[in-house]
Amino acid sequence: EPNNPEIEYYYPTNDLVTGPDILFFWVTRMIVAGYEYKGERPFSNVYLTGLVRDKQRRKMSKSLGNSPDALKLIADYGADGVRMGLLLSSAAGNDLLFDEALCQQGKGFGNKLWNAFQLVKGWQVDSSVAQPAAAKLALQWFEAKFNAVLTEVEDHFEKYRISDALMAIYKLTWDDFCAWLLEMVKPEYGKPMDKATYEGVVAAFENLLKLLHPFMPFLTEEIWQSLAPRIPEQALIVATYPTVQPYDEKLLAEFDFAAEVIAGIRTVRKEKNIPFKTPLGLSVLNKEQMSNRFDVVISKMGGLEAITEVSTAIEGAMSFRVKANEYFIPMGGAVNVEEELKKLQEELTYTQGFLASVRKKLSNEKFVNSAPAQVVDNERKKEADALAKIETLEKAIKAINN
């Protein structure tokens, strides 16, 4: 009832009230209008975004001239790259400090996704090849991991944590799909892939594209259309979104353990300069009573010729731990003993010299009494660390000499 003298009208302006007051006014007005004209509440939730600010924390505005050229950003990083980078760094309820590096991050992720697509499409498929046990298990693991992450994503969406949902999908794509699954199923150089594994990888890739599509609509649609022949009615934008399916949590826990074992093997290879093509043996003191289900994956990813269980520690072997389990890799001819011994001796000599310098400082009463307690404690920690390292190096030298 416009201009009704019996109603007190409230017309907020920027000069009189703050932003939240204006928001409250317009939200209230929409709710009243919904009941008046439709007989129902128009919405249940109001989502407030933070402000985009520059590096000096100033609000972006035309008057300050501190807003980036959106079209130039798109030309440099792609529309999906700009969108992805900003959303990854825009936590719910917080302002976003704009930096072009964010867009570069989004572009880098787009490149990663495209490279994964090129790898998959480049595989030769042979329907007569049997599916390897490692590939079959890898696909089972990823399906469980996908549903675990999808459960997390759905919870984030329910709570309007859009950035957190995207970060979960980002890690699922970059770490689990690209870094693990594709490596676990990849056939040997020059050999074809079996049909079952290829179809499983494509299905997993398509599910990832469905999750990513709201955030990267252009790139994901391009890959979707290139993965298989499709008609317009089968476009990604109208594809059915995945729903959470039951998954095996024990399978996920066993893989996480196996991943640490693989990391330990790779560390040994790196430290000892052992090429991946050189096969290694692995012995395990299985105090955790872990299942050997993932041994086929560990063997493939670690470049092993065999995995055996032992009841006692193996002398003269490189070792590492995963929780209570101990793993041993006999060096044999895998390393040049003389070079390794020389390397260890040089490191021992350096560490002993470092320990002497630290102890000289700690033996100076003037330093100990006048220096801040935190500085003195730091020197004592250096001393303890050096002693521990010397003990480790001496054991390694002794093992090689024996």
Side-chain angles (χ1 to χ4, degrees):
E1 298 181 44
N3 302 318
N4 186 332
E6 298 180 1
I7 298 177
E8 181 179 354
Y9 292 95
Y10 175 50
Y11 298 101
T13 66
N14 287 329
D15 295 328
L16 300 177
V17 295
T18 62
D21 292 326
I22 298 173
L23 174 65
F24 176 76
F25 169 76
W26 287 110
V27 168
T28 304
R29 184 168 180 172
M30 286 186 283
I31 293 174
V32 172
Y35 280 118
E36 175 67 22
Y37 297 109
K38 301 290 290 184
E40 60 184 21
R41 184 172 56 190
F43 47 79
S44 300
N45 300 285
V46 178
Y47 184 82
L48 304 180
T49 62
L51 296 174
V52 181
R53 300 181 180 274
D54 61 18
K55 292 181 180 179
Q56 301 177 41
R57 304 193 68 84
R58 299 177 303 176
K59 177 183 175 181
M60 288 190 175
S61 64
K62 292 181 180 179
S63 59
L64 290 176
N66 59 347
S67 300
D69 185 335
L71 294 179
K72 185 178 184 304
L73 289 177
I74 292 173
D76 292 341
Y77 305 105
D80 283 349
V82 174
R83 182 200 300 254
M84 188 79 175
L86 294 181
L87 285 175
L88 277 173
S89 308
S90 182
N94 294 330
D95 290 347
L96 187 150
L97 299 181
F98 178 78
D99 189 334
E100 278 200 32
L102 301 177
C103 302
Q104 182 61 53
Q105 180 185 14
K107 180 180 179 180
F109 180 74
N111 289 339
K112 185 75 171 180
L113 198 63
W114 185 257
N115 289 339
F117 160 69
Q118 289 184 312
L119 175 65
V120 172
K121 288 297 288 184
W123 284 331
Q124 298 297 317
V125 182
D126 187 343
S127 58
S128 66
V129 176
Q131 185 179 36
K136 183 177 181 180
L137 183 58
L139 288 169
Q140 291 172 350
W141 161 76
F142 186 78
E143 182 179 359
K145 184 68 176 182
F146 178 86
N147 281 288
V149 173
L150 182 57
T151 302
E152 178 187 347
V153 168
E154 291 296 322
D155 180 64
H156 286 317
F157 280 143
E158 286 283 339
K159 298 171 181 175
Y160 301 97
R161 296 196 295 251
I162 297 174
S163 179
D164 292 335
L166 178 56
M167 181 56 73
I169 299 170
Y170 175 93
K171 290 179 179 178
L172 176 67
T173 305
W174 192 294
D175 298 335
D176 301 307
F177 183 76
C178 295
W180 281 111
L181 179 65
L182 295 185
E183 289 300 316
M184 287 191 285
V185 303
K186 187 168 63 175
E188 292 182 34
Y189 180 76
K191 294 185 178 181
M193 174 177 282
D194 65 281
K195 185 178 180 182
T197 298
Y198 183 77
E199 290 178 347
V201 171
V202 170
F205 204 169
E206 289 179 340
N207 277 331
L208 278 179
L209 294 175
K210 291 176 182 179
L211 297 190
L212 282 167
H213 186 66
F215 305 99
M216 304 185 79
F218 304 110
L219 179 59
T220 53
E221 187 72 68
E222 179 71 20
I223 295 176
W224 175 268
Q225 297 292 341
S226 302
L227 273 174
R230 305 182 195 274
I231 60 176
E233 289 75 16
Q234 296 174 319
L236 179 55
I237 195 171
V238 293
T240 303
Y241 195 80
T243 55
V244 177
Q245 303 298 320
Y247 59 91
D248 186 350
E249 294 185 9
K250 184 179 179 181
L251 180 69
L252 296 178
E254 288 181 10
F255 173 81
D256 290 341
F257 194 94
E260 291 190 53
V261 176
I262 294 168
I265 297 168
R266 289 174 172 176
T267 298
V268 171
R269 284 188 177 276
K270 182 178 180 181
E271 290 179 350
K272 305 305 176 185
N273 297 315
I274 305 172
F276 185 80
K277 64 181 180 181
T278 302
L280 298 174
L282 180 69
S283 299
V284 53
L285 196 56
N286 193 3
K287 298 178 182 179
E288 291 281 346
Q289 297 299 308
M290 287 299 296
S291 164
N292 63 356
R293 175 160 48 170
F294 276 94
D295 279 5
V296 289
V297 172
I298 295 172
S299 294
K300 179 177 181 179
M301 300 293 284
L304 305 178
E305 56 185 1
I307 300 177
T308 56
E309 283 200 26
V310 295
S311 56
T312 58
I314 297 179
E315 296 294 333
M318 294 298 300
S319 65
F320 62 91
R321 282 179 175 269
V322 177
K323 294 185 179 178
N325 274 13
E326 291 185 67
Y327 294 87
F328 305 93
I329 301 177
M331 290 293 96
V335 297
N336 186 312
V337 175
E338 291 184 2
E339 288 185 4
E340 183 62 21
L341 191 59
K342 180 181 178 182
K343 176 182 174 183
L344 291 172
Q345 191 62 56
E346 288 176 351
E347 191 171 359
L348 176 61
T349 301
Y350 171 81
T351 307
Q352 288 172 334
F354 176 77
L355 176 62
S357 66
V358 172
R359 283 181 165 174
K360 182 178 180 181
K361 187 179 292 187
L362 289 173
S363 65
N364 186 334
E365 292 185 7
K366 183 177 180 181
F367 168 76
V368 174
N369 294 330
S370 60
Q374 184 178 357
V375 173
V376 176
D377 289 342
N378 188 45
E379 293 300 317
R380 296 193 191 282
K381 184 178 183 303
K382 289 180 181 179
E383 180 185 31
D385 290 343
L387 286 169
K389 188 172 183 180
I390 288 171
E391 181 182 2
T392 301
L393 291 169
E394 288 176 341
K395 285 182 178 180
I397 293 172
K398 182 180 179 181
I400 291 178
N401 287 329
N402 292 338

